[in-house]
Amino acid sequence: MAERVIPLVDQRSKVLQPPALLAAAPATGLLQDTLSRPLRDLRISVTDRCNFRCGYCMPKEVFDKHYRYLPHSDLLSFEEITRLARLFMAHGVRKIRLTGGEPLLRKDLENLVAQLAELRTLEGRVPDLTLTTNGSLLARKARALKAAGLRRVTVSLDSLQDDVFRRMNDVDFPVADVLAGIEAAQAVGLEHIKVNMVVKRGTNDHEIPAMARHFRGTGITLRFIEYMDVGATNGWRMDEVLPSAEVIARLQAELPLVPLAAQSAGETAKRWGYAGPDGRHDPRLGEVGVISSVTQAFCGDCNRARLSMEGRLYLCLFASQGWDLRSLLRGNASDAQIGAAIAHIWQGRGDRYSELRASLPPETGSGQRRIEMSYIGG
């Protein structure tokens, strides 16, 4: 087995300065990048902290008690986040996902949810407002989040076996508490709950059928995610990736599936429905999804932008640098100026790392190391 090497490089210092004084043009919601991809999805990280130490995201060897997190004064306030979200929505964003780190560690997060729920898309609709969480605090926060206007939630859960789960989160957190959080989310009426399982060959791939059986027929969609080479500290190796095609093959051997059409443009998961006795999808049994960033890139219709907790705009999950929007917010730039900067940045976007992964040379030098997933969310 290859030796695990964890380079200690802080990518938060790599920042690009946005243009501050561009001629403002009316936002039409028709913004496109260099590959004709529209801007539809904004993922907002609200904290760089997490109470788990999953090896594929925040390995304990790096994120230990000596790790220096950002001071609170560096984080965008809820009002600053809401202002930026409104400007992004003027350019066509319809979906807002709150992430972290672990977003529920951000104090009074429901107040931010309430502010975002007051916004409207260009079509006059409430944005699709959702949150990704490790579920550890969900049982106590679900009701307040729903009351504030949260519509959906996605919970990360990599195992149902308590010993495996405790080992993977590396803080000895029990799986029962995450399952209680999922139950609480259902009880308060959060819609279309999803559970994400990052699959690592040799670690938790033996649980694929058991996870599917557990959530089949519950109204919860289980999604299997290929272990990705995000950031620079998770010791990623290709031999630990279980291709989604193999995931589906393992499921098909026990639980017949039928492919389902995508529900929207830019959707990251390929959908499969559980088949009934007639061989057709039985909606009562639900569905699973696979996210195949490594083996089946979906860059071609990626419509997602990512905003870090300190106001940096990233155009790809695998980016190495972000654009500093906080300097505009706190430098008294007008809405028109900030909106024009966002448009300029997106129109210059050509990111398609996953499509190019196999042809790219190995990373050399700290300037090319990618930002950590815990910093900009998944």
Side-chain angles (χ1 to χ4, degrees):
M1 181 175 290
E3 181 181 0
R4 188 176 188 218
V5 178
I6 300 178
L8 302 180
V9 180
D10 190 347
Q11 283 301 100
R12 295 176 300 189
S13 61
K14 308 299 290 185
V15 62
L16 300 169
Q17 293 301 320
L21 297 173
L22 293 174
T28 64
L30 302 177
L31 195 62
Q32 292 187 332
D33 68 8
T34 62
L35 301 177
S36 299
R37 297 172 294 189
L39 175 59
R40 293 288 181 262
D41 186 327
L42 178 62
R43 303 191 172 194
I44 303 172
S45 178
V46 296
T47 180
D48 58 344
R49 300 169 186 265
C50 186
N51 53 345
F52 283 10
R53 287 296 175 267
C54 304
Y56 58 78
C57 184
M58 293 184 73
K60 188 178 287 185
E61 301 95 314
V62 176
F63 298 90
D64 58 15
K65 64 181 180 180
H66 303 295
Y67 184 80
R68 296 179 63 184
Y69 293 98
L70 295 171
H72 188 77
S73 60
D74 282 0
L75 307 187
L76 294 183
S77 69
F78 290 168
E79 290 72 24
E80 288 172 325
I81 291 172
T82 302
R83 183 185 178 193
L84 282 178
R86 175 169 51 81
L87 297 174
F88 273 94
M89 288 174 64
H91 284 305
V93 163
R94 299 167 182 167
K95 176 181 177 181
I96 296 174
R97 177 178 295 277
L98 300 179
T99 71
E102 170 47 47
L104 296 185
L105 290 178
R106 182 76 183 258
K107 185 179 179 181
D108 299 323
L109 185 68
E110 59 272 19
N111 293 340
L112 174 60
V113 171
Q115 291 181 34
L116 295 173
E118 292 295 319
L119 301 177
R120 294 296 180 267
T121 68
L122 289 174
E123 299 82 12
R125 301 191 184 100
V126 177
D128 182 8
L129 188 53
T130 185
L131 174 144
T132 296
T133 173
N134 62 26
S136 60
L137 301 172
L138 189 55
R140 70 183 75 166
K141 299 288 286 186
R143 187 170 300 279
L145 291 167
K146 177 65 167 60
L150 190 71
R151 298 181 64 184
R152 301 191 293 111
V153 67
T154 297
V155 180
S156 299
L157 178 64
D158 297 329
S159 175
L160 290 172
Q161 292 182 220
D162 194 58
D163 59 334
V164 175
F165 184 71
R166 289 174 187 262
R167 192 162 57 246
M168 291 190 72
N169 66 54
D170 208 12
V171 293
D172 205 32
F173 194 88
V175 70
D177 287 5
V178 176
L179 294 174
I182 295 172
E183 292 175 3
Q186 282 189 301
V188 301
L190 287 168
E191 307 167 356
H192 308 298
I193 298 170
K194 296 176 181 175
V195 168
N196 284 349
M197 177 186 181
V198 173
V199 180
K200 287 186 67 175
R201 188 190 295 274
T203 298
N204 64 342
D205 58 308
H206 63 285
E207 284 201 70
I208 290 171
M211 288 282 286
R213 285 192 295 268
H214 182 85
F215 291 107
R216 183 173 180 258
T218 64
I220 294 172
T221 297
L222 174 63
R223 303 191 302 183
F224 300 95
I225 302 177
E226 290 179 345
Y227 173 42
M228 292 184 289
D229 51 331
V230 175
T233 64
N234 68 1
W236 183 86
R237 296 196 311 270
M238 186 65 194
D239 62 0
E240 291 183 320
V241 176
L242 187 76
S244 292
E246 187 171 338
V247 171
I248 294 299
R250 292 191 190 186
L251 289 175
Q252 287 274 35
E254 299 187 29
L255 301 166
L257 300 169
V258 294
L260 301 177
Q263 293 177 313
S264 61
E267 195 170 84
T268 58
K270 294 285 183 68
R271 302 170 59 222
W272 292 80
Y274 293 110
D278 60 358
R280 299 180 181 180
H281 176 219
D282 184 346
R284 294 172 299 179
L285 298 178
E287 62 182 75
V288 296
V290 288
I291 298 177
S292 317
S293 178
V294 177
T295 63
Q296 299 177 38
F298 39 79
C299 303
D301 57 1
C302 177
N303 55 20
R304 293 172 293 284
R306 291 173 166 85
L307 183 67
S308 77
M309 71 294 303
E310 58 178 334
R312 295 180 183 176
L313 173 60
Y314 292 85
L315 304 179
C316 178
L317 178 59
F318 301 95
S320 59
Q321 298 182 98
W323 299 83
D324 180 15
L325 298 185
R326 189 184 65 187
S327 63
L328 298 181
L329 285 171
R330 298 184 181 178
N332 298 316
S334 67
D335 283 357
Q337 289 170 333
I338 298 173
I342 292 170
H344 177 81
I345 294 167
W346 187 265
Q347 287 169 336
R349 175 186 187 241
D351 299 73
R352 54 191 188 101
Y353 170 82
S354 291
E355 288 183 348
L356 300 175
R357 177 187 281 105
S359 62
L360 292 173
E363 293 181 339
T364 55
S366 62
Q368 295 301 313
R369 298 201 188 281
R370 295 183 295 275
I371 199 70
E372 295 300 326
M373 183 166 61
S374 59
Y375 180 73
I376 55 172

